[in-house]
Amino acid sequence: MSSILPLKHPPETLAATPAALRQGWSSAKLRRRLAEHAIETLLLLAAMVSVFTTAAIVAILVWESVVFFRSVPLLDFLTDTQWTPLFDDAHFGILALLSGTLTTTIVALMVAVPLGTILAIYLSEFAPFRVREVAKPFLELLGGIPTIVYGYFALLFVTPVLQRIHPELPGFNMLSAGLVMGIMIIPYVSSLSEDAMRAVPMHMREASYAMGATRLQTALFVVTPAALSGLASSYILGISRAVGETMVVAIAAGMQPNFSFDPSEPAATITAYIVQVALGDLPHGSIGYQTIFAAGLTLLLITLVFNIIGHFLRKRFREAY
């Protein structure tokens, strides 16, 4: 016995249902596209903030530096070894500030690069899991300490210790500032280097072990060359961090411009001079005040050169696994 079930909706309603569904789907798809477009626009604007900020900084430095170089010849700025823009007998030789910047940076790198690399090798290849999970946060904590604390640590602790070894060392010197800067940038070098080493595939280590190599030989002759691009990036970051450091050198190295590469002497760096003038009473628009923009542009160009070198090193030694 067959029975015919009654229809719940009239035939004309059923005929109209697909069109209504298509219209609803189109509206939902349109709303989804608008929402995605709005989110993409918001993310693009957020990403462009750094680009606009960098462009604005460069524009201000270049604009003010052009005004400065209208009064000071570029050749004198690059070749004069005296920096006395605030004296009656004014000299504008950036070499006096550049020598202090490079000396403290070299001292810092002599501390940070070997210690940071050794720490990275240990954490990546030798440290047990629990040791690594405890040591790495403490190591990275060094990067969160305010730099002014490092400055007073260099002035009140490191310098007296060095004076016991070298009694003729003055109270302000580039050596103590550079040593503490090196300690300060160790986390930048070790953290990035360790990440680069841990990214090396395990089968390369296993192949080295299969050839009879020890863990130390594998770490030095297999893992380290394979992670060379990452190591170069960490070194370049450490250099940029050391070149741009302000408070440590301002407190421990003194603010006396001195064309010397002897780390036992006091000197002023580019960043320390900028702080000194920016906090002074020089009127805006004066030639003494505009020196900070020329010095800032020099510092920006130095950092740009190091970043370009790091980019080519990453491209040259980058390995794809």
Side-chain angles (χ1 to χ4, degrees):
M1 183 177 180
S2 64
S3 60
I4 300 177
L5 296 176
L7 295 175
K8 294 183 179 180
H9 301 283
E12 60 274 10
T13 304
L14 292 177
T17 299
L21 291 176
R22 285 195 299 269
Q23 184 177 2
W25 292 338
S26 299
S27 300
K29 188 176 182 180
L30 178 61
R31 288 194 299 270
R32 185 169 62 253
R33 287 182 176 179
L34 292 176
E36 291 177 354
H37 182 71
I39 293 174
E40 289 177 1
T41 304
L42 181 62
L43 294 176
L44 176 62
L45 293 176
M48 293 298 292
V49 167
S50 60
V51 178
F52 291 145
T53 303
T54 304
I57 292 173
V58 173
I60 292 174
L61 290 177
V62 171
W63 177 265
E64 296 292 341
S65 298
V66 168
V67 178
F68 170 78
F69 286 118
R70 289 175 183 172
S71 303
V72 178
L74 180 61
L75 183 61
D76 293 344
F77 180 78
L78 296 176
T79 58
D80 195 349
T81 58
Q82 298 184 44
W83 181 264
T84 57
L86 308 182
F87 295 175
D88 292 335
D89 184 18
H91 289 269
F92 302 93
I94 194 64
L95 289 179
L97 299 179
L98 194 59
S99 63
T101 301
L102 293 179
T103 302
T104 54
T105 300
I106 291 172
V107 173
L109 293 178
M110 291 176 65
V111 175
V113 170
L115 289 181
T117 306
I118 291 173
L119 284 172
I121 292 174
Y122 172 73
L123 292 176
S124 174
E125 305 300 319
F126 295 95
F129 177 77
R130 291 185 177 181
V131 175
R132 182 168 56 249
E133 292 300 313
V134 173
K136 193 168 182 179
F138 276 94
L139 182 63
E140 294 177 349
L141 185 63
L142 292 175
I145 298 176
T147 56
I148 191 170
V149 176
Y150 280 111
Y152 282 109
F153 174 72
L155 179 64
L156 302 177
F157 179 80
V158 177
T159 297
V161 171
L162 293 176
Q163 286 176 336
R164 293 187 177 184
I165 303 173
H166 182 49
E168 298 181 357
L169 188 70
F172 297 102
N173 59 86
M174 292 183 285
L175 181 60
S176 62
L179 292 176
V180 174
M181 282 171 55
I183 296 173
M184 184 183 65
I185 64 178
I186 282 177
Y188 299 92
V189 176
S190 62
S191 181
L192 289 179
S193 299
E194 194 249 345
D195 292 339
M197 291 179 180
R198 289 179 63 84
V200 176
M202 185 58 65
H203 66 78
M204 297 184 64
R205 297 177 175 86
E206 295 172 350
S208 177
Y209 298 148
M211 295 293 293
T214 63
R215 295 181 68 181
L216 181 60
Q217 291 173 333
T218 302
L220 295 179
F221 301 110
V222 177
V223 177
T224 301
L228 191 57
S229 61
L231 295 177
S233 299
S234 67
Y235 299 158
I236 295 298
L237 178 61
I239 293 173
S240 300
R241 184 68 181 85
V243 169
E245 176 51 38
T246 304
M247 295 309 300
V248 175
V249 292
I251 294 174
M255 294 188 179
Q256 178 182 353
N258 181 23
F259 180 69
S260 174
F261 292 96
D262 185 359
S264 64
E265 295 184 4
T269 62
I270 296 176
T271 53
Y273 172 76
I274 293 175
V275 171
Q276 180 184 9
V277 174
L279 298 178
D281 298 328
L282 290 177
H284 287 254
S286 63
I287 187 65
Y289 183 80
Q290 288 173 339
T291 55
I292 65 175
F293 297 100
L297 182 62
T298 304
L299 188 64
L300 179 66
L301 292 177
I302 293 174
T303 307
L304 178 63
V305 168
F306 283 124
N307 283 311
I308 292 175
I309 294 174
H311 174 72
F312 282 110
L313 287 176
R314 286 193 300 269
K315 289 185 63 177
R316 173 65 178 82
F317 296 104
R318 185 175 182 180
E319 299 287 346
Y321 302 106

